[in-house]
Amino acid sequence: MKSSLKQIASELNLSTAAVSKALNDYPDISKNTKKRVNTYVKKIGYQPNTHARFLRTKKSQTIALILPNTTDSLLSTIAEDILVKAEYLGYNILVSCSKESEEIEKRLVNRFLQQKVDGIIMSLSSTTSDYSHLVDIQSNTTTLVLFNTTARTVNCNRVYLNDKEAALNATNHLIANGCSQIAHFRGPLTPQNSIDRYLGYREALNSSKLPFDSEKILLAEKGNAEEGYTLAKTLYNKKITIDGLFCFNDALALGAMRFFNEKGVKIPKDISIMGFGNSNISAYSSPSLSTVDHEISTMGAKIMEVFLDEEQSKKENEEIVVKKILLKNKVIARESTLK
Amino acid sequence: MKSSLKQIASELNLSTAAVSKALNDYPDISKNTKKRVNTYVKKIGYQPNTHARFLRTKKSQTIALILPNTTDSLLSTIAEDILVKAEYLGYNILVSCSKESEEIEKRLVNRFLQQKVDGIIMSLSSTTSDYSHLVDIQSNTTTLVLFNTTARTVNCNRVYLNDKEAALNATNHLIANGCSQIAHFRGPLTPQNSIDRYLGYREALNSSKLPFDSEKILLAEKGNAEEGYTLAKTLYNKKITIDGLFCFNDALALGAMRFFNEKGVKIPKDISIMGFGNSNISAYSSPSLSTVDHEISTMGAKIMEVFLDEEQSKKENEEIVVKKILLKNKVIARESTLK
DNA sequence: AATAGTTACTAAATCGTTTTAGTTTATCTT
DNA sequence: AAGATAAACTAAAACGATTTAGTAACTATT
């Protein structure tokens, strides 16, 4: 029933040390003994006790994944890929949710450092503005990989979208389709991705010599459909005239579209709408939503790759090189922008 | 830097045993000593090594959460609640994804049993038809809580929707709004929730003396918007006349709606559409989608409650009573059914 | 004053691994 | 044949907590 090295050792008339070494392929164990041990172990389905092993090795084969929320379509897609890849590699993944709170995020990081996880993979909360906890992680020799919502000023592994370029492309797509008065529902003020998308939008206006109008910038704190609906209503009630709208994400865009549909504003004839992220549902709204896609399907794999690289370097005592991986983007033109 | 009982003990001129007992509030430690220990521990931010503790207590303070996927809106909402609650209670959550595969699900269960997690919280994969692994969990005295996609034939804790009743209500809502030829996009064949929603649909037809037509039942394996679109196209091309459609979930309904919108079929005038689950986006489609809501916001809390109850019973050596918790449902009538 | 009973600790074993430092036996040198 | 070398093990410590059994120093009882 309960199997341990001790039990196996007594069964095979060996010491626990010999069994342990056989399983870990030490050179001072005979081939014959290794075979005996391995076949017996397979037969009874023995698996080493990870806690006991940790006590000696300090390797937990565990990665902490900290997400600001689990409901965002992009995050949950990436999370799934990480989970599947990690499982395949024999890692356990501890998942925690910071609820977009800097305080909780810091508490979680602290806890995982105490618990000595091998690494922390994290998308920053939208309210995080101080990065001291990230520095803590690095000085603890715990591997850190940031993704999606990352920190520019901290020199650590990052896998992220080229938010500025993608936003530039999105806005340019609106301009190319005849829009000249383009509003932007921007994301929260602190996170880098939100800032970058805003900057991309501004750069697009600039390079086409379109005037910038701060009235056309609305702040979305939550980034869900409900908020998109409300912000569209705000624009409408203030009678701010626009012919294009670029949103921080698809959910905002869908909410806004719903409002305009309700008011009889024609999309894309009166207003063209661009989302961001190419969420599952975006192709199936009415009208279907134009958006920017990001090879999200490769992101999870790339995150794990960066993580494993650093673990490998640490094991071999090589110098650690920080990796910064930028994903490509592609405008997906659908009905909401094609007149 | 690295704190352990030993280090604290030497600092306070105590034995490790005394420190451990002080922290665990043993009666044979003086109040004064307890206070000394607790204040010092707080000062240096000591947290016990969970692995070392496990070795003695066999309690890992860890729960495994196994999901068939992480992208489904319902699952990710519940997952977030569980994560937050667990964090608050000091539990770690190991999350894994079975990718809707019975084989992976069984492998994961096996692994977590070997790892001696305190409990397993799981939504079954849609392809799981053999439940021997669930019995394994129970005979391992590991606490098991199933939710959402559950097994009827295994006597274990369940927190689930009253799928049959909810489907009955949804279908009745269509009938009450004048539909008599109602199609159903049903979920996969094996899972209980899919079967129950189908049975609820049939019962509604029955009790209103409406004829049942197997041609109007289409099977959705994946349950996403793309599939909803495809199935609607199938119905349309086969020229199967319907005036109502009840879908296994909102994503299917939204996909179908998109198809009918494209073809100029008027919703709800020509066809009324009901979803299931009240996903975030359902209120913001055009037309907005009628659906069935389930107090999902309470589900995570209820799951944790059931888990903690069983843990408590085990600790006190009480008899274990299996809990089966059924969530209430409510039809949300929106534009897609209101003529 | 001798015995019993409390109080507040400590010593040491234990959990299941890994790893260092031997130890035994056989084989090879010279 | 004695010493060195190699092969294939074993013994025991260590990781950091918990817990059982024991003990010293008091206090209470008779």
Side-chain angles (χ1 to χ4, degrees), chain A residues 5 17 20 26 46 53 56:
Chain A
L5 287 189
S20 171
Y26 273 54
Y46 165 81
R53 171 183 281 169
R56 282 297 320 235

Side-chain angles (χ1 to χ4, degrees), chain A residues 21-39:
Chain A
K21 286 179 169 183
L23 289 172
N24 292 302
D25 205 23
Y26 273 54
D28 63 348
I29 298 292
S30 72
K31 285 209 168 129
N32 183 37
T33 301
K34 280 179 188 169
K35 194 174 286 173
R36 275 211 309 148
V37 170
N38 278 308
T39 55

